[in-house]
Amino acid sequence: MAVVIDCWNKKLGEMTFDNRPSSFPSFVQAVKKYLKRGQTIIFGLEDVGGFGRSLALFLREQRFIVKEVNPKLSNGMRKNQTIIEKYDSWDAECVARVVRDEWDRLPDANPIDVYWAIGQMVRVWAELAEHYASTLRRLHQQLSYHYPSYKKFFSELDGKTALAFWEKVKFLFIEKAAKVSQSQLVISLDR
């Protein structure tokens, strides 16, 4: 959602467009329709790191002024009104008002790929850490079913003694499974 306002806070129009690079040129053309001679477009984006990143890159490549609006500023603008409203058009208008009022203090939107890539890696790391913790909890649960006092038996689950024990158990299981015929295995699995 985009809202176009002039320097006197008059709402000139609003538009919705798809957030994909093929839609960006038509979006810019739609915004330019509201321009009068001698006026400059200043774009304000509330989300430069996520969904707005590709739009910010496109607008900067086209040599437009693009400002990054902190969500706290637009939220503050929304809360300053007598009636607090929350819908896309009003949110976009609050962002536009922040850009109009504070454009000289707002940072230029500069989505740097290195920081974006680091952010993506941090998110993947967090997901992997959660997956690891979940897998470890399931392992402890399964171990406690078969070896209820395993925590007392091994002071460290990943210590040398414990790892040697689990390796021996794995080896014995594989050895036993190798001696079982396929039909016996199917019969035991059916039970």
Short mmCIF file of all heavy atoms in Angstrom, two decimals, residues 37-100:
data_model
loop_
_atom_site.label_atom_id
_atom_site.label_comp_id
_atom_site.label_asym_id
_atom_site.label_seq_id
_atom_site.Cartn_x
_atom_site.Cartn_y
_atom_site.Cartn_z
N ARG A 37 5.00 20.24 -11.94
CA ARG A 37 6.30 20.73 -12.41
C ARG A 37 7.12 21.28 -11.24
O ARG A 37 6.64 22.05 -10.43
CB ARG A 37 6.07 21.81 -13.45
CG ARG A 37 7.32 22.19 -14.14
CD ARG A 37 7.03 23.16 -15.24
NE ARG A 37 8.13 23.04 -16.17
CZ ARG A 37 8.02 23.19 -17.45
NH1 ARG A 37 6.86 23.46 -17.98
NH2 ARG A 37 9.06 23.09 -18.22
N GLY A 38 8.38 20.85 -11.17
CA GLY A 38 9.29 21.34 -10.15
C GLY A 38 9.24 20.56 -8.84
O GLY A 38 10.00 20.85 -7.93
N GLN A 39 8.34 19.61 -8.73
CA GLN A 39 8.25 18.84 -7.49
C GLN A 39 9.17 17.62 -7.55
O GLN A 39 9.48 17.11 -8.62
CB GLN A 39 6.81 18.38 -7.25
CG GLN A 39 5.87 19.49 -6.87
CD GLN A 39 4.46 18.96 -6.61
OE1 GLN A 39 4.02 18.00 -7.21
NE2 GLN A 39 3.76 19.64 -5.71
N THR A 40 9.58 17.19 -6.37
CA THR A 40 10.46 16.03 -6.23
C THR A 40 9.74 14.95 -5.43
O THR A 40 9.04 15.27 -4.47
CB THR A 40 11.76 16.42 -5.49
OG1 THR A 40 12.38 17.47 -6.21
CG2 THR A 40 12.70 15.25 -5.37
N ILE A 41 9.94 13.74 -5.82
CA ILE A 41 9.35 12.61 -5.09
C ILE A 41 10.35 12.16 -4.03
O ILE A 41 11.54 11.97 -4.32
CB ILE A 41 9.05 11.42 -6.01
CG1 ILE A 41 8.13 11.81 -7.15
CG2 ILE A 41 8.47 10.26 -5.21
CD1 ILE A 41 7.96 10.72 -8.19
N ILE A 42 9.86 12.00 -2.81
CA ILE A 42 10.65 11.38 -1.75
C ILE A 42 9.87 10.16 -1.29
O ILE A 42 8.73 10.28 -0.84
CB ILE A 42 10.88 12.35 -0.57
CG1 ILE A 42 11.63 13.59 -1.04
CG2 ILE A 42 11.65 11.64 0.54
CD1 ILE A 42 11.81 14.63 0.04
N PHE A 43 10.48 9.01 -1.42
CA PHE A 43 9.85 7.77 -1.00
C PHE A 43 10.26 7.46 0.44
O PHE A 43 11.42 7.64 0.81
CB PHE A 43 10.27 6.60 -1.89
CG PHE A 43 9.70 6.65 -3.27
CD1 PHE A 43 10.40 7.22 -4.32
CD2 PHE A 43 8.44 6.12 -3.53
CE1 PHE A 43 9.88 7.28 -5.59
CE2 PHE A 43 7.90 6.18 -4.81
CZ PHE A 43 8.63 6.75 -5.84
N GLY A 44 9.31 7.00 1.21
CA GLY A 44 9.59 6.56 2.57
C GLY A 44 9.14 5.12 2.72
O GLY A 44 8.00 4.78 2.43
N LEU A 45 10.05 4.28 3.15
CA LEU A 45 9.74 2.87 3.32
C LEU A 45 9.92 2.48 4.78
O LEU A 45 10.94 2.77 5.39
CB LEU A 45 10.66 2.00 2.45
CG LEU A 45 10.58 2.26 0.95
CD1 LEU A 45 11.61 1.42 0.23
CD2 LEU A 45 9.20 1.95 0.44
N GLU A 46 8.91 1.83 5.31
CA GLU A 46 8.97 1.42 6.70
C GLU A 46 9.75 0.12 6.88
O GLU A 46 10.33 -0.12 7.91
CB GLU A 46 7.54 1.25 7.24
CG GLU A 46 7.48 1.08 8.73
CD GLU A 46 6.08 1.02 9.25
OE1 GLU A 46 5.29 0.20 8.73
OE2 GLU A 46 5.76 1.79 10.16
N ASP A 47 9.80 -0.70 5.85
CA ASP A 47 10.45 -2.01 5.97
C ASP A 47 11.50 -2.14 4.89
O ASP A 47 11.22 -2.66 3.82
CB ASP A 47 9.40 -3.11 5.85
CG ASP A 47 10.02 -4.49 5.93
OD1 ASP A 47 11.07 -4.64 6.55
OD2 ASP A 47 9.45 -5.41 5.36
N VAL A 48 12.70 -1.70 5.17
CA VAL A 48 13.76 -1.77 4.18
C VAL A 48 14.48 -3.11 4.24
O VAL A 48 15.03 -3.58 3.27
CB VAL A 48 14.76 -0.60 4.37
CG1 VAL A 48 15.89 -0.69 3.40
CG2 VAL A 48 14.02 0.71 4.21
N GLY A 49 14.46 -3.77 5.39
CA GLY A 49 15.20 -5.02 5.56
C GLY A 49 14.46 -6.24 5.07
O GLY A 49 15.06 -7.22 4.69
N GLY A 50 13.14 -6.23 5.05
CA GLY A 50 12.38 -7.41 4.69
C GLY A 50 11.75 -7.28 3.32
O GLY A 50 12.42 -7.30 2.29
N PHE A 51 10.43 -7.09 3.33
CA PHE A 51 9.70 -7.04 2.07
C PHE A 51 10.02 -5.79 1.25
O PHE A 51 9.90 -5.80 0.04
CB PHE A 51 8.19 -7.09 2.34
CG PHE A 51 7.74 -8.40 2.91
CD1 PHE A 51 7.21 -8.47 4.18
CD2 PHE A 51 7.86 -9.56 2.18
CE1 PHE A 51 6.81 -9.67 4.72
CE2 PHE A 51 7.46 -10.78 2.70
CZ PHE A 51 6.93 -10.82 3.98
N GLY A 52 10.42 -4.71 1.89
CA GLY A 52 10.70 -3.47 1.17
C GLY A 52 12.09 -3.38 0.60
O GLY A 52 12.43 -2.44 -0.11
N ARG A 53 12.92 -4.38 0.87
CA ARG A 53 14.31 -4.35 0.44
C ARG A 53 14.44 -4.25 -1.08
O ARG A 53 15.18 -3.41 -1.59
CB ARG A 53 15.03 -5.60 0.95
CG ARG A 53 16.47 -5.68 0.57
CD ARG A 53 17.10 -6.96 1.14
NE ARG A 53 18.44 -7.08 0.67
CZ ARG A 53 18.77 -7.54 -0.53
NH1 ARG A 53 17.85 -7.93 -1.36
NH2 ARG A 53 20.03 -7.60 -0.91
N SER A 54 13.72 -5.09 -1.81
CA SER A 54 13.85 -5.06 -3.27
C SER A 54 13.31 -3.76 -3.86
O SER A 54 13.87 -3.23 -4.82
CB SER A 54 13.15 -6.27 -3.89
OG SER A 54 11.80 -6.32 -3.50
N LEU A 55 12.25 -3.22 -3.26
CA LEU A 55 11.72 -1.93 -3.73
C LEU A 55 12.73 -0.82 -3.46
O LEU A 55 12.96 0.04 -4.31
CB LEU A 55 10.38 -1.61 -3.07
CG LEU A 55 9.75 -0.26 -3.43
CD1 LEU A 55 9.50 -0.15 -4.92
CD2 LEU A 55 8.46 -0.05 -2.65
N ALA A 56 13.35 -0.83 -2.29
CA ALA A 56 14.35 0.19 -1.97
C ALA A 56 15.52 0.13 -2.95
O ALA A 56 15.99 1.17 -3.43
CB ALA A 56 14.85 0.00 -0.53
N LEU A 57 15.97 -1.07 -3.27
CA LEU A 57 17.06 -1.21 -4.24
C LEU A 57 16.66 -0.67 -5.60
O LEU A 57 17.42 0.04 -6.25
CB LEU A 57 17.48 -2.68 -4.35
CG LEU A 57 18.24 -3.26 -3.16
CD1 LEU A 57 18.41 -4.76 -3.31
CD2 LEU A 57 19.59 -2.58 -3.01
N PHE A 58 15.44 -1.00 -6.05
CA PHE A 58 14.95 -0.52 -7.34
C PHE A 58 14.89 1.00 -7.37
O PHE A 58 15.35 1.64 -8.32
CB PHE A 58 13.56 -1.11 -7.64
CG PHE A 58 12.94 -0.54 -8.87
CD1 PHE A 58 13.31 -0.99 -10.13
CD2 PHE A 58 11.98 0.46 -8.78
CE1 PHE A 58 12.73 -0.45 -11.26
CE2 PHE A 58 11.40 1.01 -9.89
CZ PHE A 58 11.78 0.55 -11.15
N LEU A 59 14.30 1.60 -6.34
CA LEU A 59 14.15 3.07 -6.31
C LEU A 59 15.50 3.77 -6.26
O LEU A 59 15.70 4.80 -6.90
CB LEU A 59 13.28 3.48 -5.12
CG LEU A 59 11.82 3.04 -5.20
CD1 LEU A 59 11.10 3.33 -3.88
CD2 LEU A 59 11.10 3.70 -6.36
N ARG A 60 16.44 3.21 -5.52
CA ARG A 60 17.77 3.83 -5.47
C ARG A 60 18.48 3.71 -6.81
O ARG A 60 19.18 4.62 -7.22
CB ARG A 60 18.60 3.20 -4.35
CG ARG A 60 18.10 3.67 -2.98
CD ARG A 60 18.98 3.22 -1.86
NE ARG A 60 20.38 3.43 -2.07
CZ ARG A 60 21.07 4.49 -1.63
NH1 ARG A 60 20.45 5.44 -0.99
NH2 ARG A 60 22.36 4.59 -1.84
N GLU A 61 18.29 2.59 -7.50
CA GLU A 61 18.88 2.44 -8.84
C GLU A 61 18.29 3.45 -9.81
O GLU A 61 18.97 3.88 -10.75
CB GLU A 61 18.65 1.02 -9.36
CG GLU A 61 19.52 -0.02 -8.70
CD GLU A 61 19.13 -1.43 -9.11
OE1 GLU A 61 18.22 -1.61 -9.95
OE2 GLU A 61 19.75 -2.38 -8.58
N GLN A 62 17.04 3.85 -9.60
CA GLN A 62 16.38 4.85 -10.45
C GLN A 62 16.69 6.27 -10.00
O GLN A 62 16.11 7.22 -10.50
CB GLN A 62 14.86 4.62 -10.43
CG GLN A 62 14.42 3.25 -10.90
CD GLN A 62 14.84 2.97 -12.32
OE1 GLN A 62 14.68 3.81 -13.20
NE2 GLN A 62 15.40 1.80 -12.56
N ARG A 63 17.56 6.42 -9.02
CA ARG A 63 18.04 7.71 -8.51
C ARG A 63 16.97 8.52 -7.77
O ARG A 63 16.99 9.74 -7.77
CB ARG A 63 18.64 8.57 -9.63
CG ARG A 63 19.69 7.88 -10.45
CD ARG A 63 21.06 8.39 -10.07
NE ARG A 63 22.08 7.95 -10.99
CZ ARG A 63 22.89 6.93 -10.73
NH1 ARG A 63 22.76 6.26 -9.64
NH2 ARG A 63 23.82 6.60 -11.58
N PHE A 64 16.05 7.85 -7.11
CA PHE A 64 15.07 8.52 -6.27
C PHE A 64 15.62 8.67 -4.86
O PHE A 64 16.48 7.90 -4.43
CB PHE A 64 13.75 7.73 -6.21
CG PHE A 64 12.96 7.80 -7.47
CD1 PHE A 64 12.85 6.69 -8.31
CD2 PHE A 64 12.30 8.97 -7.84
CE1 PHE A 64 12.12 6.74 -9.46
CE2 PHE A 64 11.56 9.03 -9.00
CZ PHE A 64 11.47 7.91 -9.82
N ILE A 65 15.08 9.65 -4.14
CA ILE A 65 15.41 9.80 -2.73
C ILE A 65 14.54 8.80 -1.97
O ILE A 65 13.31 8.83 -2.09
CB ILE A 65 15.13 11.23 -2.23
CG1 ILE A 65 15.98 12.24 -3.00
CG2 ILE A 65 15.41 11.33 -0.73
CD1 ILE A 65 15.59 13.68 -2.74
N VAL A 66 15.17 7.92 -1.21
CA VAL A 66 14.45 6.89 -0.46
C VAL A 66 14.87 6.99 1.00
O VAL A 66 16.06 6.89 1.31
CB VAL A 66 14.75 5.47 -1.00
CG1 VAL A 66 13.90 4.43 -0.28
CG2 VAL A 66 14.52 5.40 -2.50
N LYS A 67 13.89 7.20 1.86
CA LYS A 67 14.16 7.33 3.28
C LYS A 67 13.64 6.10 4.02
O LYS A 67 12.60 5.55 3.67
CB LYS A 67 13.49 8.59 3.85
CG LYS A 67 14.03 9.88 3.27
CD LYS A 67 15.45 10.09 3.72
CE LYS A 67 15.99 11.43 3.28
NZ LYS A 67 17.29 11.72 3.88
N GLU A 68 14.37 5.73 5.06
CA GLU A 68 13.97 4.60 5.89
C GLU A 68 13.21 5.13 7.10
O GLU A 68 13.73 5.96 7.84
CB GLU A 68 15.21 3.83 6.33
CG GLU A 68 14.92 2.59 7.11
CD GLU A 68 16.18 1.80 7.41
OE1 GLU A 68 17.23 2.04 6.78
OE2 GLU A 68 16.10 0.93 8.29
N VAL A 69 11.98 4.67 7.29
CA VAL A 69 11.15 5.13 8.39
C VAL A 69 11.09 4.06 9.46
O VAL A 69 10.64 2.93 9.20
CB VAL A 69 9.72 5.47 7.89
CG1 VAL A 69 8.84 5.91 9.05
CG2 VAL A 69 9.76 6.54 6.81
N ASN A 70 11.53 4.40 10.63
CA ASN A 70 11.46 3.49 11.77
C ASN A 70 10.00 3.26 12.13
O ASN A 70 9.24 4.23 12.24
CB ASN A 70 12.21 4.09 12.96
CG ASN A 70 12.36 3.13 14.10
OD1 ASN A 70 11.43 2.41 14.46
ND2 ASN A 70 13.54 3.13 14.70
N PRO A 71 9.56 2.02 12.32
CA PRO A 71 8.16 1.74 12.66
C PRO A 71 7.68 2.47 13.91
O PRO A 71 6.50 2.79 14.03
CB PRO A 71 8.12 0.23 12.85
CG PRO A 71 9.28 -0.30 12.09
CD PRO A 71 10.32 0.78 12.14
N LYS A 72 8.59 2.77 14.83
CA LYS A 72 8.19 3.49 16.04
C LYS A 72 7.72 4.90 15.70
O LYS A 72 6.82 5.43 16.35
CB LYS A 72 9.33 3.55 17.04
CG LYS A 72 9.62 2.22 17.70
CD LYS A 72 10.70 2.35 18.74
CE LYS A 72 10.93 1.00 19.41
NZ LYS A 72 11.91 1.08 20.47
N LEU A 73 8.32 5.52 14.70
CA LEU A 73 7.91 6.88 14.32
C LEU A 73 6.51 6.89 13.72
O LEU A 73 5.69 7.74 14.06
CB LEU A 73 8.92 7.47 13.32
CG LEU A 73 10.32 7.75 13.86
CD1 LEU A 73 11.24 8.18 12.74
CD2 LEU A 73 10.26 8.82 14.94
N SER A 74 6.24 5.94 12.82
CA SER A 74 4.90 5.90 12.21
C SER A 74 3.86 5.49 13.24
O SER A 74 2.72 5.97 13.23
CB SER A 74 4.87 4.99 10.99
OG SER A 74 5.24 3.68 11.34
N ASN A 75 4.23 4.61 14.16
CA ASN A 75 3.32 4.21 15.23
C ASN A 75 3.03 5.40 16.14
O ASN A 75 1.90 5.61 16.58
CB ASN A 75 3.92 3.05 16.03
CG ASN A 75 2.92 2.42 16.96
OD1 ASN A 75 1.74 2.34 16.67
ND2 ASN A 75 3.40 1.97 18.10
N GLY A 76 4.06 6.21 16.43
CA GLY A 76 3.86 7.42 17.22
C GLY A 76 2.94 8.41 16.53
O GLY A 76 2.09 9.04 17.16
N MET A 77 3.09 8.53 15.21
CA MET A 77 2.22 9.41 14.42
C MET A 77 0.77 8.92 14.52
O MET A 77 -0.15 9.71 14.68
CB MET A 77 2.69 9.43 12.97
CG MET A 77 1.83 10.26 12.04
SD MET A 77 1.97 12.03 12.28
CE MET A 77 3.63 12.34 11.74
N ARG A 78 0.59 7.62 14.46
CA ARG A 78 -0.75 7.04 14.53
C ARG A 78 -1.36 7.28 15.92
O ARG A 78 -2.53 7.62 16.04
CB ARG A 78 -0.67 5.54 14.23
CG ARG A 78 -1.98 4.85 14.13
CD ARG A 78 -1.91 3.40 13.64
NE ARG A 78 -0.74 2.64 14.01
CZ ARG A 78 0.31 2.39 13.21
NH1 ARG A 78 0.32 2.87 11.99
NH2 ARG A 78 1.31 1.66 13.62
N LYS A 79 -0.56 7.14 16.96
CA LYS A 79 -1.07 7.30 18.33
C LYS A 79 -1.34 8.76 18.69
O LYS A 79 -2.05 9.02 19.65
CB LYS A 79 -0.09 6.69 19.33
CG LYS A 79 -0.11 5.17 19.30
CD LYS A 79 0.82 4.59 20.33
CE LYS A 79 0.71 3.08 20.33
NZ LYS A 79 1.60 2.47 21.31
N ASN A 80 -0.76 9.71 17.95
CA ASN A 80 -0.99 11.13 18.22
C ASN A 80 -2.37 11.60 17.77
O ASN A 80 -2.76 12.72 18.07
CB ASN A 80 0.08 11.99 17.55
CG ASN A 80 1.38 11.98 18.32
OD1 ASN A 80 1.41 11.67 19.51
ND2 ASN A 80 2.46 12.30 17.64
N GLN A 81 -3.07 10.78 17.03
CA GLN A 81 -4.40 11.17 16.54
C GLN A 81 -5.44 10.94 17.63
O GLN A 81 -5.26 10.11 18.52
CB GLN A 81 -4.75 10.35 15.29
CG GLN A 81 -3.72 10.44 14.18
CD GLN A 81 -3.42 11.86 13.76
OE1 GLN A 81 -4.33 12.65 13.53
NE2 GLN A 81 -2.14 12.21 13.68
N THR A 82 -6.54 11.66 17.55
CA THR A 82 -7.59 11.52 18.57
C THR A 82 -8.27 10.17 18.49
O THR A 82 -8.64 9.60 19.50
CB THR A 82 -8.64 12.64 18.42
OG1 THR A 82 -9.11 12.64 17.07
CG2 THR A 82 -8.04 13.98 18.77
N ILE A 83 -8.42 9.66 17.28
CA ILE A 83 -9.01 8.33 17.11
C ILE A 83 -7.93 7.44 16.50
O ILE A 83 -7.45 7.70 15.39
CB ILE A 83 -10.24 8.36 16.17
CG1 ILE A 83 -11.32 9.25 16.77
CG2 ILE A 83 -10.76 6.96 15.92
CD1 ILE A 83 -12.51 9.46 15.86
N ILE A 84 -7.54 6.42 17.25
CA ILE A 84 -6.48 5.54 16.78
C ILE A 84 -7.09 4.52 15.82
O ILE A 84 -8.00 3.78 16.17
CB ILE A 84 -5.78 4.84 17.95
CG1 ILE A 84 -5.11 5.88 18.84
CG2 ILE A 84 -4.75 3.83 17.45
CD1 ILE A 84 -4.47 5.33 20.08
N GLU A 85 -6.57 4.53 14.61
CA GLU A 85 -7.06 3.61 13.58
C GLU A 85 -5.90 2.70 13.18
O GLU A 85 -4.75 3.07 13.29
CB GLU A 85 -7.56 4.39 12.37
CG GLU A 85 -8.68 5.36 12.71
CD GLU A 85 -9.09 6.18 11.51
OE1 GLU A 85 -9.35 5.57 10.45
OE2 GLU A 85 -9.15 7.40 11.63
N LYS A 86 -6.25 1.53 12.67
CA LYS A 86 -5.22 0.59 12.24
C LYS A 86 -5.71 -0.13 11.00
O LYS A 86 -6.47 -1.09 11.07
CB LYS A 86 -4.92 -0.41 13.37
CG LYS A 86 -3.88 -1.45 13.02
CD LYS A 86 -2.49 -0.86 12.99
CE LYS A 86 -1.47 -1.95 12.78
NZ LYS A 86 -0.57 -1.71 11.71
N TYR A 87 -5.32 0.36 9.85
CA TYR A 87 -5.55 -0.32 8.59
C TYR A 87 -4.47 0.14 7.61
O TYR A 87 -3.79 1.13 7.85
CB TYR A 87 -6.97 -0.11 8.04
CG TYR A 87 -7.42 1.33 7.94
CD1 TYR A 87 -7.24 2.04 6.76
CD2 TYR A 87 -8.02 1.98 9.01
CE1 TYR A 87 -7.65 3.36 6.65
CE2 TYR A 87 -8.43 3.30 8.91
CZ TYR A 87 -8.24 3.98 7.72
OH TYR A 87 -8.64 5.29 7.62
N ASP A 88 -4.28 -0.60 6.53
CA ASP A 88 -3.13 -0.40 5.64
C ASP A 88 -3.04 1.02 5.10
O ASP A 88 -1.96 1.61 5.07
CB ASP A 88 -3.18 -1.39 4.48
CG ASP A 88 -2.87 -2.81 4.92
OD1 ASP A 88 -2.36 -2.98 6.04
OD2 ASP A 88 -3.13 -3.74 4.14
N SER A 89 -4.15 1.57 4.65
CA SER A 89 -4.13 2.92 4.07
C SER A 89 -3.69 3.94 5.10
O SER A 89 -2.89 4.84 4.81
CB SER A 89 -5.52 3.26 3.53
OG SER A 89 -5.54 4.59 3.05
N TRP A 90 -4.20 3.84 6.32
CA TRP A 90 -3.84 4.78 7.36
C TRP A 90 -2.37 4.59 7.77
O TRP A 90 -1.66 5.57 8.00
CB TRP A 90 -4.77 4.63 8.57
CG TRP A 90 -4.42 5.54 9.70
CD1 TRP A 90 -4.03 5.19 10.95
CD2 TRP A 90 -4.41 6.97 9.68
NE1 TRP A 90 -3.78 6.30 11.72
CE2 TRP A 90 -4.00 7.42 10.96
CE3 TRP A 90 -4.68 7.93 8.70
CZ2 TRP A 90 -3.88 8.76 11.28
CZ3 TRP A 90 -4.55 9.26 9.04
CH2 TRP A 90 -4.15 9.67 10.31
N ASP A 91 -1.91 3.36 7.84
CA ASP A 91 -0.50 3.11 8.15
C ASP A 91 0.41 3.77 7.11
O ASP A 91 1.41 4.40 7.45
CB ASP A 91 -0.21 1.61 8.21
CG ASP A 91 -0.82 0.93 9.42
OD1 ASP A 91 -1.24 1.64 10.35
OD2 ASP A 91 -0.88 -0.31 9.42
N ALA A 92 0.06 3.60 5.84
CA ALA A 92 0.87 4.19 4.76
C ALA A 92 0.83 5.71 4.83
O ALA A 92 1.85 6.38 4.59
CB ALA A 92 0.36 3.71 3.41
N GLU A 93 -0.31 6.27 5.20
CA GLU A 93 -0.40 7.72 5.33
C GLU A 93 0.45 8.21 6.50
O GLU A 93 1.08 9.27 6.42
CB GLU A 93 -1.85 8.16 5.51
CG GLU A 93 -2.02 9.66 5.43
CD GLU A 93 -3.47 10.10 5.39
OE1 GLU A 93 -4.35 9.30 5.05
OE2 GLU A 93 -3.71 11.29 5.71
N CYS A 94 0.49 7.46 7.58
CA CYS A 94 1.34 7.84 8.73
C CYS A 94 2.81 7.82 8.33
O CYS A 94 3.58 8.70 8.73
CB CYS A 94 1.08 6.92 9.92
SG CYS A 94 -0.50 7.21 10.72
N VAL A 95 3.21 6.83 7.54
CA VAL A 95 4.60 6.77 7.06
C VAL A 95 4.87 8.00 6.19
O VAL A 95 5.92 8.65 6.32
CB VAL A 95 4.86 5.46 6.28
CG1 VAL A 95 6.21 5.51 5.57
CG2 VAL A 95 4.80 4.26 7.21
N ALA A 96 3.92 8.35 5.30
CA ALA A 96 4.10 9.52 4.44
C ALA A 96 4.21 10.80 5.26
O ALA A 96 5.02 11.68 4.95
CB ALA A 96 2.93 9.61 3.45
N ARG A 97 3.43 10.91 6.31
CA ARG A 97 3.49 12.10 7.17
C ARG A 97 4.83 12.20 7.91
O ARG A 97 5.38 13.28 8.07
CB ARG A 97 2.35 12.09 8.18
CG ARG A 97 1.01 12.38 7.55
CD ARG A 97 -0.07 12.35 8.59
NE ARG A 97 -1.37 12.64 7.99
CZ ARG A 97 -2.43 12.98 8.70
NH1 ARG A 97 -2.37 13.03 10.01
NH2 ARG A 97 -3.57 13.24 8.09
N VAL A 98 5.34 11.06 8.34
CA VAL A 98 6.65 11.06 9.00
C VAL A 98 7.71 11.52 8.01
O VAL A 98 8.58 12.33 8.35
CB VAL A 98 7.00 9.66 9.57
CG1 VAL A 98 8.46 9.58 10.00
CG2 VAL A 98 6.09 9.33 10.74
N VAL A 99 7.64 11.03 6.77
CA VAL A 99 8.61 11.43 5.75
C VAL A 99 8.50 12.93 5.50
O VAL A 99 9.51 13.64 5.41
CB VAL A 99 8.42 10.63 4.44
CG1 VAL A 99 9.28 11.20 3.33
CG2 VAL A 99 8.74 9.17 4.66
N ARG A 100 7.28 13.45 5.41
CA ARG A 100 7.07 14.88 5.17
C ARG A 100 7.64 15.71 6.33
O ARG A 100 8.31 16.70 6.11
CB ARG A 100 5.58 15.19 5.00
CG ARG A 100 5.31 16.66 4.65
CD ARG A 100 3.99 17.15 5.09
NE ARG A 100 3.91 17.06 6.55
CZ ARG A 100 2.78 16.86 7.22
NH1 ARG A 100 1.66 16.71 6.58
NH2 ARG A 100 2.78 16.80 8.52
#
